[in-house]
Amino acid sequence: MAKKGRKSKPKTPKKGLSFKLSNQNKIILGSLLMLFSVALFFSFVSFYFTWQDDQSLLTEFANRNEQAKNLLNKFGASVSHLFIYKGFGLASMIFPFLLGYTGLYMFLNLKGQGLLKKWIWGLIFIIWISISLGFFATTKPLLGGIVGYEMNDFLQDYAGKIGVLLLLLFGLIFILVRLFHFTPEDFIRYFKAKKESISSEFKSNTPADEDTVAIEKDSDVPVILDPYTHKKDIPPIEKEVPIDDFEVNVPTEEVIEEDVLAMEVEKIVEEQEDTDILANKLVDDFGEFDPTLELGNYKFPTLDLLEQHGAAGGITINQEELEENKNKIVDTLKNYKIGIAQIKATIGPTVTLYEIVPEAGVRISKIKNLEDDIALSLAALGIRIIAPIPGKGTIGIEVPNKNATVVSMRSVIASSKFQKAEMELPIAFGKTISNETFVVDLAKMPHMLMAGATGQGKSVGLNAVITSLLYKKHPAEVKFILVDPKKVELTLYNKIERHFLAKLPDSEEAIITDNNKVINTLNSLCIEMDNRYELLKLAMVRNIKEYNTKYKARKLNPNDGHKFLPYIVLVIDEFADLIMTAGKEVETPIARLAQLARAIGIHLIIATQRPSVNVITGIIKANFPARIAFRVTSKIDSRTILDAQGADQLIGRGDMLFTQGNEVTRLQCAFVDTPEVEKITAYIGAQRAYPQAHELPEYVGEDSGTSIDYEISERDAMFREAAEVIVIAQQGSASLLQRKLKLGYNRAGRIIDQLEAAGIVGPFEGSKARQVLVPDMIALDQLLNNELK
């Protein structure tokens, strides 16, 4: 029989995870916040009297022998420096009050939703006061802090001082209206009441009774009324008071109607909803990421830094010369029984193009073979026949002008074609035969080979490329790696090292002149290329433009290793010298970069004065579709560079041929002189710069670091975690440790060396990932345990 009388106990539901603080913990945490707010208050006050004496101790926090003069010693000096100098200045004094109120709120276990509202308005006050003090006290950064100073600087670049003042005024109106419920009627009523009060004092001749108090209508004197007074004596409510800031005790004889109270509650709820929207706005909507913000005051070089070489009005037409050359061309062709149906001339700065339409039945090859005869009749150097001109039904004869016009860099930079160019890396080379500014995008080339005999304009061409990018791109958007074996051509750009240049971490000079450092730099670029491709894979994009667009839209998390990627332009001034001294050690990484680096924003520009086949090899030519040929001495050199003749017929002094895999275009390179480059670099170098040049990944050669026998006691603290990451991923690379363990490249490289010494990864294999010698976690545990025995 079943037992009676026992009642089954109801099952209590299992408690889930709860983050609600108990009353005891609230008291403890509240007291901690109140005491911490007191400490901050005295630290901030003391900071304004002792900050100059304590400035040198900010880096000596761990040194117990050094003492600060702040009331809270080094802690007070450090935290005050962070909040006041690097933060919001005098407005930081609001933080102790917010923390103190929060602590009191928790200590007394107060109810309601007023805490969040006070923090939101407190932060609004802090930001507004900081910007205001930074605007009116620009010479005293301690009043507005770095935030106030930089925000003013940023806003004034776009809106000017008057615009910033109007924004501050709007912020004040917003605070008065939303927080204090200020209206224009209140403003008028206030001054009207003051006026009536002053008038009544002058008109009053009899003193008021001692037992009575006269209250002016609409005056600003606070009125205290008995809560039991009849409702007709209660003045209308003109201020909304948050319902969570006080407790309402309604007496039994209260005569306030329920609908009035309901209206007030509805207004309070609406105000709370607006506050929540504002809070979400402050937390979430930071706008698009701006990589140029760190150097927000950077000013691009101005046109007056460049000289106006040659005639300011453009090309001067010599009608007599045109007519004479036309007649000589016609007569020479008639001597060989070649009739001309039509002829016209297009005048360029250096060369005039004569376009002829031969009579029917004339073979083009016959005209082509008369190149030397036409040159003899014209007594001119550099005759070039284009038979036929691509896209036209004509034959072109290029004849140098007797008086060539210099194309200044200033004229091509100032042209609308360059200024309005919507390109990633626009380059203004010069002007065509038709006197049009020639602008191309390096990002679409994507690499360029430049060759020509000594003194024909290669160095000027490189300066034109670099100058174009300096005039168009911000330091955050592009970085240069300059290789100058001659040690004299590119040294002018040392002044912009911390703005535009990139180098190896252990390199003293940003301009690379040592061939051994060139090899390390090229291999470092290969590592940078692999790292960037890994970032593109994680971001699920195909190229650097899509990646940076996604990063600016804040769709990529910097905690996962993502960062804004600037374009990197490698410029090598004398490639033949590198090939002679290094050979395959240089050619192999350059070929690898040329094949793969386009999508991740690394572009190569290689110049040489010896365009021989052992310097410009088949691998190099196959990956450099964009080529520039200045004057060379033989047809063989012209074919080596362009795969076509013509470069041997150029007249020098910047006369060049450009091809990007299709037709060949003749250009006059823009001239930029050395003093102009010095002015530009000095102008940029005088501005605020980054703390150091852009650092490339550290490259460890085959004979560097691999023979070191690390002791177990000298291993990095994260050696075990790094070993587990490597074994699980079965990929031995420093970049993997950087991403997974949030390490710097130097520390990750040292750990890789320690893993090699322990037998976990294999030796260095160039730019490839090292081989992982441990197959799984069980084998790793056995290996590490055996070391400890």
Side-chain angles (χ1 to χ4, degrees):
M1 294 179 63
K3 295 182 180 179
K4 298 180 180 180
R6 289 188 180 180
K7 295 182 179 179
S8 60
K9 295 182 179 179
K11 294 183 179 180
T12 59
K14 293 183 179 180
K15 294 183 177 179
L17 292 175
S18 176
F19 296 97
K20 187 175 182 181
L21 292 174
S22 64
N23 290 334
Q24 292 179 338
N25 290 335
K26 284 184 179 180
I27 294 172
I28 294 172
L29 184 57
S31 61
L32 176 62
L33 289 176
M34 286 190 291
L35 294 175
F36 182 66
S37 67
V38 174
L40 283 183
F41 177 81
F42 285 105
S43 299
F44 292 173
V45 173
S46 178
F47 178 79
Y48 279 95
F49 299 93
T50 63
W51 70 273
Q52 291 179 323
D53 297 327
D54 297 341
Q55 190 74 13
S56 61
L57 300 179
L58 294 176
T59 58
E60 299 290 334
F61 190 90
N63 190 353
R64 298 180 63 182
N65 295 324
E66 297 290 341
Q67 299 293 320
K69 292 189 177 181
N70 192 286
L71 290 178
L72 273 80
N73 210 322
K74 285 183 285 189
F75 168 79
S78 300
V79 75
S80 301
H81 180 79
L82 176 64
F83 276 85
I84 295 177
Y85 183 80
K86 290 190 174 181
F88 302 91
L90 192 61
S92 300
M93 297 295 295
I94 298 177
F95 280 113
F97 293 96
L98 291 174
L99 289 172
Y101 180 82
T102 304
L104 183 65
Y105 186 92
M106 301 180 71
F107 187 86
L108 299 179
N109 197 17
L110 299 176
K111 305 294 184 183
Q113 302 296 326
L115 183 61
L116 175 61
K117 181 179 178 181
K118 285 181 172 55
W119 269 97
I120 292 173
W121 282 110
L123 293 175
I124 293 174
F125 267 109
I126 289 171
I127 296 171
W128 184 82
I129 293 173
S130 176
I131 297 176
S132 299
L133 292 175
F135 179 82
F136 292 104
T138 55
T139 59
K140 297 180 180 180
L142 288 181
L143 293 179
I146 293 295
V147 172
Y149 177 82
E150 292 292 342
M151 285 297 295
N152 268 284
D153 215 0
F154 174 77
L155 292 173
Q156 287 183 23
D157 284 346
Y158 291 92
K161 288 190 175 182
I162 296 178
V164 175
L165 184 62
L166 294 176
L167 288 174
L168 291 174
L169 182 60
F170 172 77
L172 178 62
I173 294 173
F174 176 84
I175 293 172
L176 291 175
V177 173
R178 296 297 302 170
L179 183 61
F180 301 103
H181 307 284
F182 175 83
T183 61
E185 290 79 8
D186 294 334
F187 186 81
I188 297 172
R189 190 182 299 117
Y190 174 84
F191 283 98
K192 185 177 180 181
K194 282 293 184 183
K195 180 180 179 182
E196 292 178 0
S197 176
I198 295 172
S199 300
S200 62
E201 288 180 6
F202 280 101
K203 293 179 181 179
S204 176
N205 295 323
T206 56
D209 190 77
E210 294 180 357
D211 297 329
T212 62
V213 179
I215 301 177
E216 296 287 342
K217 183 180 179 182
D218 296 333
S219 70
D220 59 346
V221 180
V223 181
I224 302 175
L225 299 175
D226 191 310
Y228 294 96
T229 308
H230 195 270
K231 84 174 175 183
K232 70 179 182 181
D233 298 324
I234 299 177
I237 298 175
E238 295 177 0
K239 261 192 175 182
E240 294 176 21
V241 182
I243 196 168
D244 54 2
D245 285 353
F246 62 91
E247 295 183 9
V248 180
N249 296 320
V250 183
T252 55
E253 298 179 18
E254 181 61 58
V255 294
I256 300 178
E257 297 179 359
E258 292 181 0
D259 56 344
V260 176
L261 183 60
M263 290 175 63
E264 293 300 321
V265 173
E266 184 178 357
K267 290 182 181 179
I268 294 169
V269 171
E270 291 178 356
E271 181 183 353
Q272 187 65 40
E273 291 176 353
D274 294 340
T275 303
D276 293 338
I277 294 174
L278 180 60
N280 292 332
K281 201 78 173 170
L282 287 173
V283 175
D284 300 323
D285 190 10
F286 294 100
E288 190 177 78
F289 172 77
D290 185 5
T292 66
L293 196 58
E294 187 174 353
L295 296 185
N297 294 329
Y298 175 79
K299 292 180 174 57
F300 287 85
T302 56
L303 282 176
D304 56 6
L305 299 174
L306 296 171
E307 299 294 334
Q308 185 65 58
H309 300 283
I315 297 174
T316 303
I317 299 176
N318 189 334
Q319 197 65 37
E320 293 182 1
E321 181 183 352
L322 288 176
E323 192 67 24
E324 181 182 356
N325 288 338
K326 184 198 74 170
N327 293 334
K328 287 181 178 179
I329 292 173
V330 172
D331 292 341
T332 303
L333 294 176
K334 277 185 179 179
N335 293 335
Y336 293 93
K337 306 295 189 295
I338 298 175
I340 297 176
Q342 182 182 353
I343 184 170
K344 67 176 182 177
T346 304
I347 305 170
T350 307
V351 176
T352 299
L353 173 65
Y354 294 88
E355 293 183 60
I356 61 175
V357 179
E359 292 180 348
V362 177
R363 297 178 62 183
I364 295 177
S365 60
K366 191 174 182 181
I367 299 177
K368 180 70 174 174
N369 293 332
L370 294 176
E371 188 173 51
D372 295 335
D373 298 282
I374 296 173
L376 178 63
S377 66
L378 294 175
L381 175 67
I383 297 295
R384 179 170 171 262
I385 295 181
I386 311 169
I389 297 177
K392 295 183 178 180
T394 59
I395 296 173
I397 302 176
E398 295 175 348
V399 181
N401 299 333
K402 290 182 179 179
N403 297 315
T405 303
V406 178
V407 176
S408 65
M409 195 69 200
R410 177 169 181 164
S411 64
V412 296
I413 293 292
S415 65
S416 60
K417 191 171 184 179
F418 178 76
Q419 293 293 334
K420 298 179 180 179
E422 295 182 358
M423 302 176 180
E424 294 298 313
L425 297 173
I427 296 175
F429 274 120
K431 292 190 176 181
T432 63
I433 289 179
S434 57
N435 203 36
E436 295 179 358
T437 301
F438 188 78
V439 182
V440 291
D441 190 358
L442 178 61
K444 293 182 178 179
M445 287 185 182
H447 312 293
M448 184 168 61
L449 178 64
M450 186 182 295
T454 303
Q456 302 304 314
K458 292 191 310 300
S459 297
V460 175
L462 290 178
N463 287 332
V465 171
I466 298 174
T467 300
S468 298
L469 296 176
L470 293 180
Y471 267 87
K472 200 69 174 177
K473 306 304 289 186
H474 189 275
E477 298 173 321
V478 65
K479 301 295 179 184
F480 295 97
I481 300 174
L482 304 181
V483 179
D484 184 15
K486 289 190 287 188
K487 304 181 181 180
V488 293
E489 295 293 345
L490 300 177
T491 53
L492 298 172
Y493 298 99
N494 267 324
K495 297 177 183 177
I496 60 172
E497 174 181 340
R498 293 188 295 130
H499 291 87
F500 281 100
L501 301 191
K503 64 178 184 179
L504 293 173
D506 59 345
S507 179
E508 296 180 1
E509 296 291 335
I511 309 296
I512 305 169
T513 56
D514 185 2
N515 288 344
N516 291 328
K517 289 188 177 179
V518 175
I519 298 171
N520 292 342
T521 302
L522 292 175
N523 285 284
S524 175
L525 266 180
C526 290
I527 297 173
E528 174 71 15
M529 177 180 70
D530 294 336
N531 292 343
R532 289 191 172 199
Y533 267 117
E534 188 67 24
L535 291 177
L536 262 63
K537 182 182 77 173
L538 295 175
M540 293 183 290
V541 294
R542 296 179 300 172
N543 53 56
I544 186 174
K545 186 176 181 181
E546 295 177 3
Y547 178 89
N548 283 337
T549 301
K550 202 169 184 179
Y551 187 83
K552 287 180 181 179
R554 302 186 184 274
K555 296 180 180 178
L556 301 176
N557 190 350
N559 293 328
D560 296 334
H562 292 294
K563 58 184 177 181
F564 180 81
L565 300 179
Y567 286 92
I568 297 178
V569 179
L570 171 65
V571 180
I572 301 178
D573 186 27
E574 189 44 69
F575 185 61
D577 185 64
L578 294 180
I579 293 295
M580 288 177 59
T581 56
K584 290 293 183 181
E585 291 183 277
V586 169
E587 185 180 357
T588 301
I590 282 183
R592 187 164 184 265
L593 288 169
Q595 289 170 350
L596 300 174
R598 172 182 183 175
I600 43 84
I602 298 177
H603 304 280
L604 281 61
I605 300 175
I606 293 176
T608 181
Q609 64 180 1
R610 294 215 338 261
S612 55
V613 291
N614 61 333
V615 174
I616 305 176
T617 62
I619 297 176
I620 297 296
K621 288 179 64 177
N623 294 289
F624 284 77
R627 300 173 199 166
I628 289 178
F630 293 91
R631 188 187 180 199
V632 295
T633 56
S634 68
K635 290 181 172 62
I636 297 175
D637 290 342
S638 179
R639 290 193 189 98
T640 303
I641 305 168
L642 301 174
D643 295 326
Q645 296 183 13
D648 55 313
Q649 298 294 332
L650 299 176
I651 62 174
R653 297 181 61 84
D655 190 18
M656 71 182 201
L657 297 175
F658 173 83
T659 179
Q660 201 169 345
N662 39 32
E663 63 183 68
V664 179
T665 305
R666 191 167 185 175
L667 305 170
Q668 177 60 40
C669 183
F671 178 67
V672 52
D673 204 1
T674 300
E676 298 174 71
V677 177
E678 290 178 344
K679 289 179 184 179
I680 295 170
T681 55
Y683 181 86
I684 297 173
Q687 301 185 52
R688 179 187 170 193
Y690 295 107
Q692 59 187 5
H694 182 79
E695 285 195 352
L696 298 171
E698 185 177 10
Y699 170 73
V700 181
E702 294 184 8
D703 56 347
S704 302
T706 57
S707 61
I708 299 176
D709 186 14
Y710 286 93
E711 296 291 338
I712 296 178
S713 59
E714 296 177 355
R715 286 177 177 172
D716 193 278
M718 300 189 73
F719 176 84
R720 176 72 185 230
E721 295 179 55
E724 293 176 355
V725 169
I726 293 295
V727 172
I728 292 173
Q730 286 294 299
Q731 179 185 350
S733 66
S735 59
L736 177 65
L737 298 182
Q738 281 184 277
R739 296 192 304 274
K740 296 294 184 181
L741 302 180
K742 307 296 187 295
L743 301 177
Y745 190 84
N746 293 339
R747 186 179 180 186
R750 287 193 298 270
I751 294 178
I752 287 291
D753 291 339
Q754 295 170 9
L755 292 171
E756 180 186 354
I760 298 174
V761 298
F764 178 78
E765 298 181 11
S767 58
K768 297 181 181 178
R770 296 173 183 245
Q771 182 182 1
V772 181
L773 305 178
V774 178
D776 50 36
M777 293 298 297
I778 298 175
L780 176 64
D781 292 336
Q782 291 176 351
L783 176 63
L784 297 180
N785 292 334
N786 290 336
E787 287 183 342
L788 299 176
K789 291 181 181 180

